[in-house]
């Protein structure tokens, strides 16, 4: 059996807040968008700039599911729905160059660090819709630094 990861789909209640979080906060880039008038939904595919570059870019006119670029698919249903929880499917995981700088940048944008990177390696945050996001340090763990080393957990992750 052969299997290849394509994307993770998450439903979002506010497309603008979600794009701000994923693009401005985490640094993902929008690679494709599709509005379905008949279905009353919008699909937005996001990827890291590094993955898009590594895979040779996003070809024009090609469906995101036909590329080798790993993506997050944001599904925005135009009719209001309540997406309680968000953790029921697990989490999305992203590798970052500097866990402390990333968490500090996110905090400056008002994002709560639910599980701070006390170990210099791993942190958890949540999207505006409560989706659990794991952040992992690229390479070796960083030396423990304050305020991270003694920062308590906040909420659930």
């Amino acid at each position: 059996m052969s299997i290849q990861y394509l994307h993770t789909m998450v439903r979002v209640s506010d497309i603008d807040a979600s794009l701000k979080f994923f693009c401005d906060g985490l640094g993902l880039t929008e690679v494709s968008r599709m509005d379905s008038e008949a279905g009353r939904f919008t699909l937005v595919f996001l990827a890291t700039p590094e993955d898009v570059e590594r895979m040779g870019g996003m070809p024009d006119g090609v469906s995101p599911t036909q590329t080798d670029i790993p993506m997050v698919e944001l599904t925005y249903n135009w009719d209001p729905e309540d997406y309680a929880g968000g953790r029921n499917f697990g989490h999305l995981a992203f590798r970052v160059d500097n866990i402390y700088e990333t968490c500090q940048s996110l905090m400056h944008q008002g994002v709560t660090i639910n599980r701070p990177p006390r170990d210099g390696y791993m942190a958890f945050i949540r999207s505006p819709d409560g989706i659990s996001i794991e952040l992992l340090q690229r390479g070796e763990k960083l030396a423990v630094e304050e305020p991270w080393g003694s920062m308590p957990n906040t909420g659930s992750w």
Side-chain angles (χ1 to χ4, degrees):
M1 180 172 133
S2 176
I3 190 166
Q4 179 184 14
Y5 172 80
L6 295 177
H7 63 267
T8 298
M9 184 275 270
V10 293
R11 289 181 178 90
V12 300
S13 59
D14 183 330
I15 192 70
D16 294 327
S18 295
L19 287 171
K20 182 175 193 263
F21 176 82
F22 285 102
C23 296
D24 297 346
L26 291 177
L28 300 183
T29 187
E30 183 175 325
V31 295
S32 177
R33 181 184 290 239
M34 194 262 310
D35 293 314
S36 172
E37 192 75 37
R40 300 190 47 74
F41 65 86
T42 299
L43 302 181
V44 179
F45 285 85
L46 307 173
T48 68
E50 292 82 2
D51 281 334
V52 173
E53 184 178 324
R54 181 174 51 85
M55 295 301 186
M58 180 68 186
D60 289 334
V62 174
S63 167
T65 59
Q66 299 301 314
T67 73
D68 289 333
I69 303 169
M71 296 187 202
V72 173
E73 172 192 345
L74 302 181
T75 297
Y76 171 67
N77 293 306
W78 300 352
D79 300 318
E81 293 183 41
D82 181 25
Y83 300 121
R87 191 172 162 90
N88 58 342
F89 77 95
H91 63 264
L92 302 175
F94 296 93
R95 185 173 293 124
V96 298
D97 288 333
N98 186 302
I99 193 85
Y100 298 137
E101 289 176 5
T102 300
C103 287
Q104 189 63 54
S105 173
L106 289 164
M107 282 178 60
H108 282 170
Q109 294 181 42
V111 175
T112 299
I113 309 301
N114 300 104
R115 192 279 191 192
R118 289 184 295 272
D119 56 3
Y121 183 70
M122 179 180 66
F124 275 88
I125 58 175
R126 286 187 174 265
S127 76
D129 289 293
I131 304 301
S132 184
I133 310 273
E134 178 183 27
L135 303 172
L136 298 170
Q137 173 62 41
R138 184 180 310 276
E140 299 295 317
K141 291 181 179 182
L142 299 180
V144 175
E145 290 183 14
E146 292 300 331
W148 311 107
S150 59
M151 190 180 287
N153 290 342
T154 303
S156 63
W157 44 277

